[in-house]
Amino acid sequence: MKLNKQHIATFTAALVLLCYVLMAVASLIQQRWFSAISKETVVVTVESGQTGHHVLKILSKSTQYQYSFLDKLLFKRFPALSRVKKGEYELEAGISLFAALHRINSGRPVMYTIPLVEGLTAKQWLEQLHNNPVLDHRNLNIEQWVSSKQWSPNSMEGRLLPDTYSVSRGTSIQTVLNQAASALDSYLMSAWQDRQENLPYSSPYEALIMASIIEKETGVAEERPRIAAVFVNRLRIGMRLQTDPTVIYGMGERFDGNIRRKDLREKTAYNTYVIKGLPPTPIAMASKAAIDAALHPIKSNEYYFVAKGDGSHYFSTTLKQHNEAVYRYQIRKP
């Protein structure tokens, strides 16, 4: 059948109209994909195994976005957006559907800070980590984890670096511990290479033990190198360290807030009033500043210090001076 001019004109007009309709639909869809879906910041959670289609339905519950089968075309046009990653994602006010899916596809979840504070013990850190709602503590076997590190002696005390660590929700406690352990190893070995000459430590681990004692004894940050010098001076002449924090650590759960004379005489592996030299392990988590102090003590001839009651200490070179300071600051308190 031959098409006359009228048929051709009608067909052409219909084709042009169809093109306009398709262009209008495409424009509407594009506008839908790139328009804001939320008037306020929201946090959405994507679970393991969920797909892009699951995310569309999650967004329809969490934002002003209304799910439509047409939006499946977005994954046809941009296939990578369908490969979403598990995590918790913050979507700011005004974000578009495309940007939200791109955020979730990129794997940049909300990050939380985990502060691990210097001067606390491994037990205290583990309690804090267990109580943190962001972290996953399932399948945690701390004995097995410590054993996997092949530490000698078999202890995690002092083996983790105090710092603030950033994690996403659901991060395992083991992951945080691994980060802190690696950070400590890296910093300690670097500091050891740059240490002061002729220090009375046979290994980086002994320096770490000293750093933990300095950490517990220091109330004023700038005193760390001076306190380190007192302990280093004592080690050099074979004098006992006689530091209360080691006694407290050795007492463990028995410590009730007071140290008695019998406690100072009790022979434990950590009582530096009884043992000579350093205790067998650190007694707390030591900061970078404490490690630096242990490896760079100031030059002094001081062998004693006593707390003044304001966080600082009075330092002495002789026992006579020290006893006078003890009387002044501890016995005859003003």
Side-chain angles (χ1 to χ4, degrees):
M1 178 178 92
K2 286 187 176 182
L3 295 176
N4 57 34
K5 291 183 178 180
Q6 184 177 357
H7 289 148
I8 293 173
T10 301
F11 177 77
T12 301
L15 186 60
V16 170
L17 178 61
L18 178 61
C19 288
Y20 275 117
V21 170
L22 291 176
M23 288 173 62
V25 172
S27 177
L28 289 173
I29 292 176
Q30 287 282 98
Q31 184 179 10
R32 176 182 177 82
W33 291 348
F34 292 94
S35 296
I37 61 172
S38 181
K39 296 179 181 179
E40 58 186 10
T41 299
V42 297
V43 175
V44 298
T45 302
V46 178
E47 303 292 345
S48 179
Q50 290 186 321
T51 66
H53 299 302
H54 288 118
V55 172
L56 291 179
K57 293 180 178 180
I58 291 171
L59 292 176
S60 69
K61 295 178 181 179
S62 305
T63 69
Q64 283 75 49
Y65 163 74
Q66 296 296 315
Y67 176 77
S68 169
F69 72 94
L70 290 175
D71 294 328
K72 294 181 180 180
L73 296 174
L74 183 59
F75 299 131
K76 296 291 186 182
R77 177 68 179 83
F78 304 100
L81 294 183
S82 66
R83 296 190 288 272
V84 297
K85 296 179 175 64
K86 172 186 175 182
E88 191 178 46
Y89 297 88
E90 183 177 85
L91 307 177
E92 65 273 11
I95 195 170
S96 68
L97 178 62
F98 180 87
L101 290 170
H102 186 268
R103 175 81 49 82
I104 296 170
N105 165 261
S106 68
R108 298 197 303 272
V110 176
M111 301 301 287
Y112 295 88
T113 56
I114 307 294
L116 298 178
V117 181
E118 65 272 11
L120 299 184
T121 64
K123 181 180 178 181
Q124 290 171 319
W125 272 20
L126 287 174
E127 288 176 353
Q128 291 183 1
L129 293 173
H130 270 289
N131 292 330
N132 192 307
V134 169
L135 299 176
D136 180 3
H137 60 267
R138 294 172 296 177
N139 304 318
L140 175 64
N141 186 320
I142 196 62
E143 290 80 13
Q144 188 177 49
W145 182 82
V146 171
S147 178
S148 71
K149 295 297 179 182
Q150 298 181 332
W151 286 334
S152 180
N154 191 27
S155 169
M156 66 181 290
E157 197 69 80
R159 293 283 195 170
L160 311 175
L161 187 68
D163 206 341
T164 298
Y165 297 89
S166 295
V167 302
S168 58
R169 183 178 293 277
T171 297
S172 69
I173 291 179
Q174 294 96 314
T175 297
V176 179
L177 295 177
N178 283 331
Q179 289 180 8
S182 295
L184 186 283
D185 287 343
S186 177
Y187 192 83
L188 179 61
M189 294 311 299
S190 175
W192 178 257
Q193 295 301 320
D194 190 42
R195 69 189 183 277
Q196 194 178 105
E197 293 182 354
N198 301 318
L199 292 172
Y201 317 127
S202 62
S203 67
Y205 189 65
E206 286 195 353
L208 184 62
I209 295 172
M210 175 62 81
S212 74
I213 297 173
I214 294 167
E215 194 70 76
K216 294 298 291 184
E217 283 283 14
T218 305
V220 178
E222 54 266 28
E223 285 188 353
R224 285 191 181 101
R226 194 173 183 182
I227 287 175
V230 169
F231 289 136
V232 165
N233 288 342
R234 288 188 168 211
L235 286 178
R236 281 175 173 153
I237 65 172
M239 184 178 177
R240 290 185 175 91
L241 295 182
Q242 295 181 318
T243 169
D244 291 353
T246 62
V247 178
I248 294 170
Y249 188 83
M251 292 173 67
E253 299 295 333
R254 293 185 294 111
F255 179 64
D256 61 3
N258 294 306
I259 300 178
R260 302 166 180 82
R261 288 186 180 275
K262 65 175 183 177
D263 300 322
L264 298 180
R265 293 193 296 267
E266 181 184 9
K267 188 169 185 178
T268 72
Y270 291 88
N271 186 352
T272 53
Y273 283 84
V274 176
I275 66 170
K276 290 184 177 181
L278 295 164
T281 73
I283 61 171
M285 302 300 182
S287 64
K288 292 178 180 179
I291 293 172
D292 290 342
L295 294 172
H296 296 277
I298 67 169
K299 293 182 179 180
S300 81
N301 59 349
E302 296 166 339
Y303 291 86
Y304 306 90
F305 60 83
V306 62
K308 294 166 63 176
D310 60 358
S312 66
H313 296 85
Y314 184 89
F315 294 82
S316 304
T317 58
T318 67
L319 181 58
K320 181 177 182 297
Q321 293 172 343
H322 176 63
N323 288 336
E324 291 173 351
V326 169
Y327 179 77
R328 183 186 316 145
Y329 295 108
Q330 299 291 317
I331 300 175
R332 193 205 68 182
K333 294 181 180 179

